[in-house]
Amino acid sequence: MSCYDTLTDYGLRSIGIGERLLPKTDITLCDQFVLIGSGMIWNVYFAVFAMLLGFGLATLVAVGKASQNPWAAIPAKAFIFIFRGSPLFIQFFLAYEIFVLIPKVGIDINLGFATITAETRWLTKAWLGAVIVLFLNTSAYSGEIFYGALRAIPKGDIEAADAFGMSGFRKFRRIIWPAMLRLAWPSYTNEAIFMFHATTLVFFSGFPAWRQSGDALYYANYFADKTFNPFISYPIIAVYFVSFTLVIIALFGWGNKRLNRHIAPEQKIRFRFKPQFIR
Amino acid sequence: MEMCADPSTLDGINWWMCYLTTGKHQSFYLSFGTVLLLLAFTAPVVMVLGFGGAMARKSKILPLRWFGLGYTNIVRGVPDIIFFLFVPIAMDQGIEYLRHQVKCPDVLEPIRQGNDFVVCTAAKMPLGTSAQWVHEVYGFTLALIAFALVFGAFAANTLYGAMNAVPRAQLETAEAFGMTDRQVFWRIQVKQMWVYALPGLSNLWMILIKATPLLFLLGVEDIVYWARELGGSKTTRFAYPHPDWRLYYFAFLLVFYLFMTWGSEKVFARITKRLSHGQATVGAGA
């Protein structure tokens, strides 16, 4: 079997398209490259959705924690403390147990033009359950980052906004929020890298891989077990992760440039690779 | 306890007393010790590796500098769980390979036969005949090495940054006093770097605490293992039948970890206050 055939058979294996059976004997280097790469689809999926959803909640949590109102500040602080103070690994286990215990019911959602049925049993599947856990987790970490940035906004910016007669939501949207993002961006980049790396925990902690469709680490581990040789599959997944990390740095670097475009060159904030691993 | 002899006759508080003191529960309580043991052993090794890595990155010898840079960047650029899976099995195979070369030089068959890794019986590590505890200690040691390697890279980065954060004027003053490079390094730079390293190190400690449940993935019988084992539903064939209680066991672990991080935060706040005494940093209020 040529490597091209392997690619068409196994390229989308992790999302259930293509050959069902995994190679068991005569595992080639190409098999390993293709299947581990196929598993990366899951890692990207988890990271993208958790980050997109988490961005919104993180802003809310940060504003909540900085708020004078105890009804907003205390829940925000507790949320951050619980999700930052405990290991993500345990959070996955715990969430999975909760999801399993939730009664299995379908909820009809009327969209006007069509009705879809949201079923609670989806929560026990990685595509939904794991995204929810990662979303809450990244919201807590990003919320703390944003909170730190909120407190570091130069007083002059806010005074200038007041002088222009801005108040309430307009001041927040035009002045505070962009300044917060600009200050938080380098740390937020690290958070994104970290979140991406944390997606490897999904299939190792509670969420079962359905029909052997797992993420990159699931396949790397499968090959290491099957061939009893860790020196091939693990370096391959390492190469994948390093290259995807570089992509994240490039994408966020573009964002950083945009956020800093009005700032004098010597005051621009630079990104430094400093991820905080493992939660 | 005597009253626990026949659990089916117990109810209420007695049932709980007996249930929570079974042999398996005692193993569960002891496994918290395993976690603390791992932390206690790993932390000093991490510091040594971190210091070594930081010195390698500062070294005047180019290959050593490359090694330091490579070590810190590769470990940080790859998800740590990959290292936790890779290092123990790689170490295990490496050790067995070397022992095979030394102990059985007359066996000529290749060690890698297709999908198998075959070494002679005498080269097995630990030996098939050794006691159970030897296997457990060996497994724990491999896990410890994996943890130390990963966190050593983080510590190296933190310490390297801290060494560079010591004000240049301090070092120049020392040079002006006629100190040699080595004296400047040990007497001034290393003495002063701790206050700069502390935020990074405290963060690292928190991460280390939160990484301990990964021991479970390495096959060590840690708290996660026992929580799953004990929490799973038990039919009436067992002495203490109960439905699926894993949720409560994991909730207990969550509280344990929250308590650990909360306590550590308090301790580090105190150390920071002490170390910043007399330093012109924000922490000291100067």
Side-chain angles (χ1 to χ4, degrees):
Chain A
M1 201 159 74
S2 75
C3 198
Y4 179 75
D5 291 335
T6 311
L7 188 67
T8 51
D9 279 355
Y10 286 130
L12 298 172
R13 168 72 175 69
S14 67
I15 50 172
I17 299 171
E19 182 67 36
R20 272 284 299 280
L21 286 175
L22 288 175
K24 291 207 169 63
T25 47
D26 303 326
I27 294 168
T28 61
L29 199 61
C30 179
D31 287 342
Q32 302 207 15
F33 250 108
V34 170
L35 266 170
I36 293 174
S38 160
M40 289 301 285
I41 297 173
W42 276 104
N43 295 95
V44 172
Y45 162 79
F46 287 139
V48 166
F49 276 85
M51 289 304 288
L52 284 180
L53 295 171
F55 184 77
L57 184 59
T59 311
L60 278 182
V61 167
V63 173
K65 189 173 176 181
S67 155
Q68 304 282 335
N69 184 348
W71 291 103
I74 292 172
K77 277 180 192 160
F79 175 76
I80 290 179
F81 174 68
I82 289 173
F83 279 94
R84 287 183 80 228
S86 63
L88 179 61
F89 195 64
I90 302 282
Q91 290 166 19
F92 271 128
F93 270 126
L94 197 63
Y96 185 72
E97 294 302 327
I98 293 172
F99 292 155
V100 168
L101 290 179
I102 289 177
K104 308 276 177 293
V105 290
I107 302 157
D108 288 332
I109 299 171
N110 196 345
L111 295 175
F113 53 92
T115 310
I116 55 164
T117 312
E119 296 192 47
T120 50
R121 68 185 166 85
W122 290 345
L123 286 168
T124 58
K125 297 270 172 10
W127 70 264
L128 183 61
V131 166
I132 290 177
V133 178
L134 287 168
F135 151 63
L136 293 175
N137 188 281
T138 190
S139 301
Y141 277 85
S142 317
E144 182 68 22
I145 293 170
F146 288 168
Y147 168 73
L150 267 185
R151 304 217 319 166
I153 295 175
K155 258 212 158 69
D157 287 19
I158 294 170
E159 278 163 7
D162 289 337
F164 272 103
M166 287 188 192
S167 64
F169 186 68
R170 202 149 85 116
K171 183 165 82 172
F172 177 78
R173 199 181 64 78
R174 291 218 179 156
I175 308 296
I176 298 179
W177 193 61
M180 175 192 90
L181 280 186
R182 182 173 66 84
L183 295 172
W185 204 255
S187 309
Y188 192 59
T189 310
N190 280 315
E191 165 60 22
I193 293 169
F194 171 71
M195 179 82 274
F196 184 55
H197 287 188
T199 58
T200 49
L201 275 176
V202 171
F203 288 107
F204 272 86
S205 53
F207 291 93
W210 193 55
R211 286 185 178 164
Q212 290 191 311
S213 305
D215 75 330
L217 185 59
Y218 178 84
Y219 289 119
N221 190 44
Y222 171 84
F223 286 127
D225 281 351
K226 274 276 173 287
T227 61
F228 211 68
N229 183 357
F231 297 98
I232 296 174
S233 62
Y234 288 131
I236 290 176
I237 187 176
V239 167
Y240 271 116
F241 267 96
V242 168
S243 23
F244 274 78
T245 303
L246 293 176
V247 172
I248 295 176
I249 292 177
L251 284 177
F252 275 76
W254 175 80
N256 194 36
K257 221 169 168 178
R258 204 178 146 71
L259 285 168
N260 277 293
R261 66 193 187 281
H262 61 292
I263 303 288
E266 67 277 5
Q267 285 171 356
K268 282 195 202 301
I269 308 173
R270 288 235 182 77
F271 164 71
R272 286 184 63 215
F273 177 58
K274 228 175 155 188
Q276 315 215 325
F277 284 82
I278 316 175
R279 320 184 171 192
Chain B
M1 273 185 280
E2 230 163 82
M3 67 171 189
C4 300
D6 186 8
S8 56
T9 60
L10 297 168
D11 56 356
I13 185 112
N14 287 338
W15 191 90
W16 283 103
M17 294 255 296
C18 292
Y19 173 68
L20 291 175
T21 50
T22 55
K24 283 196 167 181
H25 270 88
Q26 282 169 15
S27 307
F28 177 52
Y29 306 139
L30 274 180
S31 64
F32 283 92
T34 312
V35 170
L36 297 180
L37 203 68
L38 179 87
L39 286 173
F41 276 123
T42 318
V45 183
V46 163
M47 287 306 288
V48 170
L49 275 178
F51 201 79
M55 274 176 63
R57 271 181 76 171
K58 278 184 79 72
S59 164
K60 292 202 170 69
I61 308 158
L62 192 62
L64 206 59
R65 213 157 59 225
W66 281 342
F67 171 76
L69 204 67
Y71 170 53
T72 50
N73 278 334
I74 289 174
V75 173
R76 292 187 315 142
V78 176
D80 35 48
I81 180 173
I82 293 176
F83 277 92
F84 293 141
L85 292 174
F86 173 75
V87 172
I89 181 170
M91 292 275 302
D92 187 40
Q93 291 193 356
I95 292 170
E96 289 195 344
Y97 175 81
L98 289 179
R99 281 169 63 95
H100 182 83
Q101 300 295 337
V102 174
K103 300 216 167 183
C104 319
D106 42 329
V107 179
L108 293 173
E109 287 148 28
I111 289 180
R112 282 206 186 282
Q113 298 172 7
N115 286 347
D116 286 319
F117 183 83
V118 187
V119 292
C120 63
T121 331
K124 281 263 185 285
M125 183 79 189
L127 291 170
T129 53
S130 13
Q132 176 64 22
W133 70 267
V134 179
H135 286 268
E136 276 172 21
V137 168
Y138 182 67
F140 182 79
T141 312
L142 289 182
L144 199 147
I145 293 171
F147 267 76
L149 271 180
V150 169
F151 286 96
F154 294 126
N157 204 49
T158 302
L159 292 179
Y160 177 73
M163 283 176 188
N164 288 341
V166 175
R168 184 80 202 111
Q170 294 279 346
L171 308 181
E172 275 166 7
T173 311
E175 276 159 18
F177 271 105
M179 287 191 187
T180 62
D181 280 356
R182 176 171 284 216
Q183 282 173 328
V184 173
F185 178 71
W186 286 106
R187 293 190 190 175
I188 310 296
Q189 204 164 15
V190 174
K191 284 263 162 66
Q192 292 199 10
M193 74 178 190
W194 297 109
V195 69
Y196 302 101
L198 202 65
L201 291 180
S202 80
N203 190 25
L204 202 60
W205 171 254
M206 301 288 183
I207 300 173
L208 185 61
I209 290 177
K210 287 187 266 168
T212 49
L214 297 176
L215 269 180
F216 169 68
L217 295 182
L218 306 177
V220 177
E221 292 188 357
D222 74 331
I223 48 180
V224 179
Y225 171 86
W226 283 112
R228 276 169 71 115
E229 185 80 12
L230 292 166
S233 68
K234 301 279 186 294
T235 57
T236 41
R237 287 198 296 118
F238 289 85
Y240 297 93
H242 62 74
D244 191 346
W245 280 354
R246 275 179 295 183
L247 180 62
Y248 308 110
Y249 278 90
F250 284 128
F252 179 66
L253 294 192
L254 191 86
V255 171
F256 167 72
Y257 278 107
L258 287 178
F259 189 74
M260 287 282 284
T261 44
W262 177 79
S264 306
E265 242 165 40
K266 291 263 172 275
V267 171
F268 273 108
R270 288 189 74 147
I271 299 177
T272 312
K273 215 168 162 190
R274 277 191 62 167
L275 272 188
S276 358
H277 203 78
Q279 294 265 2
T281 59
V282 181

